[in-house]
Amino acid sequence: MKPLGPIPAGYEAIDGVLAVAGRKVTDLVAEAGRTPLFVYSRDLLSARVAALRVAMPERLAIHYAVKANPYQPLLKHMLGQVDGFDIASGGELEIVRAVGIDPARVSFAGPGKRDAELEAAIAAGVTLNLESEGEASRALAIAERLGIAPRLAIRVNPDFDLKGSGMKMGGGAKPFGIDAERVPALARKLISAGADWRGFHIFAGSQALSADAIIETQGQTLALAARLAEESGAALPKCNLGGGFGIPYFPGDEPVDIVAVGAALAERFADLPEVLQDTAFCIELGRYLVGEAGVYLATVVDRKESHGETYLVTDGGLHHQLAASGNFGTVVRRNYPSAIATRFGEAVEEEASIVGCLCTPLDRLADKGGFPRADVGDIVAIFCAGAYGASASPAMFLGQGPAAEMLV
Ligand SMILES: *Cc1c(COP(=O)(O)O)cnc(C)c1O
């Protein structure tokens, strides 16, 4: 048997059935009218932000990275929770505007911004995190044509990366951000061109579980921001410290010690260099805020044996949960937390693999896990489905189409 990842806190059994926000998933599936279904919990979303606020210094604003989950009801809920939103495309700009998020609370990073996207963002008053000198020139030209002082920040390609992170975003050659040594010259140019100077965005990596690694990176980020601000010769209004807080997906993973991270940051904030005294700081988090608040539900359509192995074949699959299948940036495939939702909390009776309905051997949601015996009609749950699920999976593969989604 292969181990399963740890089921996040906040999920319980009612009459032997997995419940989210006090409601049995069988009732939620009945309400949605179908599986596959993603369910996101308001309570878990709110609790996560509240815990973060307690742990972090008050001076630190918390932003949500929309790409982790752009489901509109969830975004609307987050509007009352976080201080700002980070988007990475014109499509995400349309989504945040559709749910009524004030563009002044939005910043826009991401390489390859087209002119139409730059124009929409500048006209709306969104802060652009510029990814290159070329993008800076295009933004300035568009702003001049519109007669607007654009809100511009520079995304810095730092000369370090977040250790132990699942996805490295800084250090060495990258399509993201502007190499640190070229940043001061560009900052001076933007300021003298009359831009509304918003400062630096420094994102060094994702999915780190080690508080020590995050603390070290935040220290390097603050030092780099101070040095670049000095060299730019201008006060730094804002500094986005990136994020990178991971969640436990796999057996043996431990949650980030946010209390330690917050305490270290508070110490640094108490002892900032002169040039950062009046800077507003934020972090931008995606999966940490929403990942554990979501669960993916699929119905067992078939139960079969092959060469002594048991397969629970579901109506879901990697077309909604690419990450759980191990095909979204993971090197070694390991099991996400998963369970038989209709026999939640029952003892392990057998080894089985939960697979999807796609005609590819990649479509495996749990490999040789230990589960209570499940049969056709049972519902399986894949946890940690709140981030990089529905919107980060190839829903149209094999003509399957999207899963249902629900916020409870
Ligand atoms: C993807 C991304 C995030 C969110 O990453 P998570 O691992 O989900 O927290 C934040 N900022 C930037 C610039 C990103 O590209």
Side-chain angles (χ1 to χ4, degrees), residues 67-368:
K67 87 170 189 275
N69 189 333
Y71 179 54
Q72 293 198 15
L74 179 143
L75 277 181
K76 240 182 232 166
H77 180 75
M78 296 305 278
L79 182 53
Q81 303 291 318
V82 299
D83 305 302
F85 291 82
D86 294 306
I87 58 169
S89 73
E92 287 188 348
L93 175 57
E94 282 173 26
I95 295 172
V96 297
R97 298 193 75 178
V99 301
I101 293 170
D102 177 4
R105 290 169 69 181
V106 177
S107 59
F108 182 0
K113 299 184 195 77
R114 285 156 280 183
D115 285 351
E117 295 175 303
L118 292 173
E119 179 165 339
I122 291 168
V126 164
T127 295
L128 289 171
N129 293 327
L130 297 169
E131 302 272 354
S132 75
E133 284 97 346
E135 189 173 280
S137 301
R138 288 190 291 128
L140 287 174
I142 290 167
E144 190 172 322
R145 177 161 54 73
L146 297 176
I148 295 174
R151 294 191 165 133
L152 300 181
I154 296 176
R155 179 166 179 183
V156 180
N157 175 21
D159 30 27
F160 50 84
D161 58 22
L162 177 53
K163 289 200 183 68
S165 72
M167 221 174 273
K168 297 204 183 336
M169 302 290 279
K174 289 284 175 312
F176 311 107
I178 295 166
D179 295 351
E181 65 271 16
R182 300 210 305 268
V183 166
L186 181 61
R188 286 193 293 271
K189 179 180 160 182
L190 298 176
I191 293 166
S192 68
D196 181 356
W197 173 234
R198 306 315 293 151
F200 300 136
H201 170 219
I202 307 177
F203 183 82
S206 257
Q207 182 51 19
L209 294 171
S210 153
D212 290 343
I214 294 171
I215 290 167
E216 184 188 342
T217 296
Q218 288 182 337
Q220 289 172 306
T221 302
L222 287 168
L224 178 62
R227 175 162 68 79
L228 296 178
E230 288 283 357
E231 290 172 19
S232 308
L236 194 64
K238 280 195 158 195
C239 184
N240 180 332
L241 300 173
F245 296 23
I247 58 173
Y249 286 107
F250 303 119
D253 283 357
E254 296 283 342
V256 179
D257 182 352
I258 55 167
V259 172
V261 172
L265 199 55
E267 255 176 54
R268 290 204 167 103
F269 280 178
D271 190 26
L272 285 172
E274 186 65 35
V275 71
L276 300 183
Q277 286 293 334
D278 297 322
T279 303
F281 293 99
C282 70
I283 48 170
E284 51 174 2
L285 302 174
R287 77 187 75 224
Y288 187 79
L289 297 183
V290 300
E292 290 170 286
V295 61
Y296 176 68
L297 304 168
T299 303
V300 177
V301 172
D302 199 2
R303 176 191 166 94
K304 56 190 283 191
E305 312 286 328
S306 171
H307 291 280
E309 292 185 19
T310 300
Y311 291 91
L312 302 171
V313 186
T314 69
D315 60 0
L318 71 73
H319 52 300
H320 305 141
Q321 271 292 51
L322 190 62
S325 77
N327 294 293
F328 192 63
T330 22
V331 181
V332 181
R333 195 204 173 288
R334 289 176 293 171
N335 284 324
Y336 266 42
S338 47
I340 310 300
T342 34
R343 301 169 192 277
F344 196 58
E346 286 182 22
V348 170
E349 292 171 319
E350 65 175 9
E351 179 185 293
S353 293
I354 299 173
V355 300
C357 53
L358 301 187
C359 212
T360 158
L362 301 178
D363 194 8
R364 190 173 288 242
L365 298 176
D367 187 38
K368 296 181 181 148

